[in-house]
Amino acid sequence: MVTRDVTGGAPVVVLDEIDSTNAEARRRAEAGETGPLWLLGLRQTAGRGRRGRAWETGAGNLAATYLFRTDKPPAEAAQVSFVAALAVADMLGQYAPAKLVSLKWPNDPLLGGLKVSGILVESGASPTGGLWIAVGIGVNLARKPIDAERPATAIATYRDSPPPSPIEALEVLSGAFDRWSRTWTTLGFPAIADAWTARAHGLGEACVARLGTETVEGVAEGLDGDGALRLRLADGQVRRITAGDVFFGGA
Ligand code: BTN
């Protein structure tokens, strides 16, 4: 384990091998660690994704978790997933054509319309008070997963030169994360929602929302004030989607 200082950002703890950087963040948070810090796993043996899925981290891909403590109420703190998505979008635009980068609700960064990254936010009560928040970010830098349920891609596909290393990519990501965090703090969630909307994938298009046991079809209209997705149903009513997976034609 090595700790590196990224210029101006939170320290980065580099772990050669770990089950899951989110699991490690939870262990540290429950032991009283408040961060802010980044945990970077060069190899993840049990990476996890949203809704109980596994997340495969191929060699050379980014697997990192930002751990911090907050006094915000849980619903507000959860908006950090949009901050993270914007930071990933900026990072992707540094290494691949920016015009191919988009964000699918709630927080799936896409490259050329295909999933290239995943974000998993977990939280709990901090023993020091308030909440600990772990923002886990996986990015396919070098290779796409072998067993992806949906079509996926990697940054390397869009480059003639080698993709960035996980450490280099995290330095860029960390800087972008800090900038969007400051926007969130100074201008509030509306500024984050506007920036997210400007990069949104599929707004105005028909989609299917899978919400656990229920499936809902409608047209994705945009974000509500709290980050919920506004889905216009066939009968004209608006359904607020607060959790689930959304699928458009291809992604
Ligand atoms: C998704 O299902 O789209 C979210 C995937 C999140 C994966 C990242 S990789 C780093 C961190 N550690 C984990 O175990 N998961 C997240």
Side-chain angles (χ1 to χ4, degrees):
M1 187 184 82
V2 179
T3 303
R4 292 165 62 108
D5 283 317
V6 175
T7 322
V12 177
V13 178
V14 183
L15 305 155
D16 287 337
E17 182 175 305
I18 193 76
D19 50 354
S20 147
T21 53
N22 266 37
E24 177 66 10
R26 173 182 292 270
R27 288 189 287 267
R28 290 181 183 225
E30 288 176 348
E33 172 67 67
T34 56
L37 59 78
W38 284 96
L39 298 167
L40 173 66
L42 296 181
R43 205 169 105 74
Q44 235 186 182
T45 55
R48 50 199 203 210
R50 290 174 55 236
R51 304 171 77 77
R53 291 183 287 246
W55 178 264
E56 186 187 320
T57 304
N61 285 352
L62 176 71
T65 297
Y66 183 70
L67 174 63
F68 68 104
R69 200 206 65 81
T70 181
D71 289 317
K72 289 185 200 287
E76 196 186 330
Q79 294 167 352
V80 73
S81 75
F82 292 90
V83 171
L86 286 167
V88 173
D90 280 2
M91 188 270 264
L92 293 172
Q94 189 112 349
Y95 297 114
K99 62 178 190 304
L100 297 182
V101 176
S102 61
L103 298 173
K104 181 164 76 78
W105 191 89
N107 53 26
D108 275 345
L110 307 181
L111 198 48
L114 300 178
K115 186 163 163 102
V116 68
S117 166
I119 296 168
L120 175 66
V121 177
E122 297 179 299
S123 62
S126 170
T128 63
L131 287 178
W132 59 262
I133 309 279
V135 185
I137 302 176
V139 184
N140 303 332
L141 301 174
R143 64 199 78 239
K144 61 183 184 182
I146 298 161
D147 290 329
E149 277 177 29
R150 309 281 302 181
T153 192
I155 285 180
T157 307
Y158 292 87
R159 290 169 64 83
D160 295 328
S161 51
S165 69
I167 289 177
E168 186 188 337
L170 182 56
E171 288 182 1
V172 173
L173 179 65
S174 165
F177 193 96
D178 287 349
R179 284 193 299 280
W180 286 113
S181 293
R182 277 197 296 277
T183 301
W184 187 29
T185 305
T186 53
L187 301 176
F189 187 65
I192 295 298
D194 285 351
W196 186 93
T197 301
R199 294 157 180 77
H201 175 86
L203 288 192
E205 291 177 20
C207 67
V208 175
R210 298 225 172 94
L211 326 168
T213 55
E214 193 190 2
T215 297
V216 187
E217 290 184 30
V219 171
E221 281 198 343
L223 290 186
D224 235 350
D226 58 355
L229 179 69
R230 290 169 58 82
L231 203 62
R232 181 73 59 179
L233 308 181
D235 65 5
Q237 290 193 3
V238 170
R239 171 90 180 255
R240 275 169 44 85
I241 307 295
T242 54
D245 285 318
V246 171
F247 301 97
F248 295 86

